[in-house]
């Protein structure tokens, strides 16, 4: 067996000198100066991983005029921030982002790289992992490190019926995209100190193969950012009118269980659960949702949960702060009317009096 070199290059038998890699990296995703919340969520979780490993937490910021973003990454837990700042990175395109990220990974050799599982993150993560010969686990909902310091990346499998733990023993970096909303975001600490380093930009506009002529942002709500959510389940039998009216009265976003999405009643971008999105709003109203474990995994960190179901034995009541046993077609209009009249729904700024769960 041939010896690996100090740069971590593959040796003759195809293995990698894993000891040459260190530190935990988080990609901080921003668009026009607005940082995706999942980036701050990852910094919070990665801070614990880095501490467990005794290594640095490094934020990677790519964009144009992003010094403020880098400083905020330090405030939110990073020890260092690497900044690739150039007009070629705005607006986002996969080829310059992927090439810049890949070059830094190969030069700096991080042990772990975490990327938010957004459209952007999923788009370019493979462009880094494949040429770098890295192991990439997609759509993770839990992270940890084992006794040997290996990243344990967990994700739903087989339709959300099991949670698979994936490790990458022989290749580096260990990469993962992480579902937005599964971790609490790191709060900024203005007193934190850290190093912000400008890195060489290795791509040029003349080298890119794509051009953005126009950028149009759709009006589809991102439910992972919602403060209030009203979610529709199979119990509505496709009639969303009373649920949508309640959501409107509460100034809440509409979400759905997998049943409602599979039936085509609600768009898949609004699905909550292991095979959908993870949310943590101030208020979550589950309407006609039975409470299967796959759904509960996606909303169990909500501050206040209100369940409306005509089955008093529905599992959703075990996870609710307030429960209403009744016909949703009668309950929802009543709650909506009370909310419009200025009564308050628990924890929402609209508190309607309801009986708490025993």
């Amino acid at each position: 067996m041939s010896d690996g070199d100090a740069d971590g290059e593959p040796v003759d038998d195809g293995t990698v000198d894993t000891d040459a890699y260190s530190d935990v990296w988080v990609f901080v995703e921003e668009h026009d100066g607005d940082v995706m919340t999942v980036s701050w969520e990852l910094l919070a979780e990665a801070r614990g991983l880095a501490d467990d490993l005794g290594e640095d937490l490094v934020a990677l910021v790519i964009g144009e005029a992003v010094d403020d973003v880098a400083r905020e990454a330090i405030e939110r837990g990073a020890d260092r921030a690497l900044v690739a700042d150039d007009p070629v990175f705005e607006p986002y395109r996969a080829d310059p982002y992927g090439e810049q990220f890949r070059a830094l990974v190969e030069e700096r050799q991080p042990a772990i790289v975490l990327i938010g599982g957004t459209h952007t993150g999923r788009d370019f993560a493979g462009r880094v992992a494949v040429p770098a010969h890295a192991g990439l686990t997609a759509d993770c909902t839990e992270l940890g490190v084992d006794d040997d310091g290996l990243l344990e990346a967990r994700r739903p499998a087989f339709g959300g019926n099991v949670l698979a733990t994936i490790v990458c023993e022989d290749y580096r970096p260990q990469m993962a995209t992480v579902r937005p909303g599964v971790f609490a975001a790191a709060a900024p600490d203005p007193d934190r100190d850290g190093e912000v380093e400008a890195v060489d930009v290795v791509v040029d506009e003349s080298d890119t193969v794509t051009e953005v002529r126009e950028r149009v942002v759709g009006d589809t709500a991102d439910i992972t950012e919602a403060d209030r959510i009203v979610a529709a389940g199979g119990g509505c039998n496709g009639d969303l009118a009373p649920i949508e009216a309640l959501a409107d009265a509460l100034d809440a976003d509409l979400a759905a269980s997998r049943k409602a999405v599979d039936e085509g009643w609600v768009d898949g971008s609004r699905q909550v659960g292991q095979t959908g999105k993870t949310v943590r709003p101030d208020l979550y109203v589950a309407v006609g949702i039975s409470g299967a474990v796959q759904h509960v995994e996606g909303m169990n960190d909500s501050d206040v949960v209100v369940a409306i179901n005509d089955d008093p034995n529905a599992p959703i009541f075990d996870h609710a702060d307030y429960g209403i046993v009744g016909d949703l077609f009668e309950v929802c209009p009543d709650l909506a009317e009370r909310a419009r009249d200025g009564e308050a729904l628990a924890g929402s700024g609209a508190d309607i009096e309801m009986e708490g769960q025993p």
Side-chain angles (χ1 to χ4, degrees):
M1 176 175 169
S2 301
D3 293 331
D5 65 28
D7 293 328
E9 292 294 325
V11 296
D12 291 346
D13 62 359
T15 61
V16 170
D17 179 11
T18 57
D19 291 336
Y21 292 75
S22 63
D23 296 336
V24 179
W25 282 20
V26 169
F27 169 62
V28 178
E29 179 183 343
E30 66 83 34
H31 300 279
D32 294 327
D34 294 327
V35 178
M36 301 296 288
T37 303
V38 66
S39 301
W40 305 143
E41 295 168 359
L42 287 179
L43 278 177
E45 185 67 9
R47 180 69 268 169
L49 299 180
D51 290 343
D52 288 344
L53 294 169
E55 298 178 353
D56 282 350
L57 173 58
V58 180
L60 175 58
V61 184
I62 299 176
E64 182 182 12
V66 288
D67 285 346
D68 288 346
V69 174
R71 283 192 289 271
E72 185 172 359
I74 298 293
E75 293 179 359
R76 290 182 182 263
D79 297 304
R80 293 182 283 127
L82 304 179
V83 180
D85 193 321
D86 194 273
V88 73
F89 300 123
E90 188 63 48
Y92 164 80
R93 288 171 293 175
D95 41 335
Y97 264 68
E99 179 61 21
Q100 181 69 46
F101 205 143
R102 181 198 61 77
L104 286 169
V105 163
E106 292 182 348
E107 176 190 353
R108 304 294 181 104
Q109 299 173 335
I112 295 172
V113 174
L114 304 178
I115 300 170
T118 61
H119 293 299
T120 295
R122 293 178 181 183
D123 187 39
F124 82 86
R127 290 175 177 260
V128 179
V130 172
H133 305 288
L136 172 62
T137 306
D139 199 32
C140 298
T141 57
E142 294 181 18
L143 299 170
V145 289
D146 66 13
D147 293 339
D148 296 320
L150 292 173
L151 176 68
E152 294 181 323
R154 300 183 180 90
R155 66 178 309 277
F158 299 104
N161 292 314
V162 298
L163 199 62
T165 299
I166 300 171
V167 298
C168 181
E169 296 180 345
D170 298 326
Y171 294 92
R172 294 293 181 274
Q174 304 159 92
M175 295 182 63
T177 60
V178 180
R179 187 181 300 183
V182 298
F183 304 124
D189 177 3
D191 295 328
R192 284 196 87 255
D193 292 324
E195 177 188 357
V196 176
E197 177 187 351
V199 301
D200 292 335
V201 174
V202 301
V203 292
D204 186 81
E205 186 63 46
S206 62
D207 300 324
T208 62
V209 297
T210 57
E211 177 185 356
V212 177
R213 296 288 184 90
E214 181 181 9
R215 184 168 180 255
V216 178
V217 180
D219 59 1
T220 300
D222 180 2
I223 60 173
T224 64
E225 303 281 349
D227 293 327
R228 305 174 193 172
I229 289 175
V230 176
C236 72
N237 293 317
D239 185 355
L240 297 174
I243 301 173
E244 291 175 329
L246 178 58
D248 182 65
L250 294 173
D251 192 23
D253 284 305
L254 179 70
S257 68
R258 180 172 179 174
K259 169 71 172 178
V261 170
D262 286 348
E263 292 290 344
W265 305 333
V266 181
D267 185 76
S269 65
R270 296 180 180 271
Q271 181 181 333
V272 172
Q274 282 188 343
T275 54
K277 294 181 178 179
T278 300
V279 297
R280 47 177 73 234
D282 298 332
L283 174 69
Y284 189 89
V285 184
V287 184
I289 294 175
S290 64
V293 64
Q294 290 88 347
H295 182 81
V296 171
E297 283 293 317
M299 46 65 69
N300 215 21
D301 287 326
S302 304
D303 286 347
V304 175
V305 176
V306 177
I308 303 170
N309 202 295
D310 60 6
D311 178 4
N313 297 314
I316 191 65
F317 289 122
D318 294 333
H319 306 278
D321 299 288
Y322 299 88
I324 301 176
V325 178
D327 185 339
L328 70 88
F329 295 99
E330 297 176 0
V331 174
C332 286
D334 183 43
L335 291 183
E337 182 178 358
R338 295 189 187 196
R340 284 191 290 267
D341 288 343
E343 297 183 50
L345 185 60
S348 72
D351 282 325
I352 292 172
E353 291 298 326
M354 282 177 294
E355 216 173 290
Q357 290 294 97

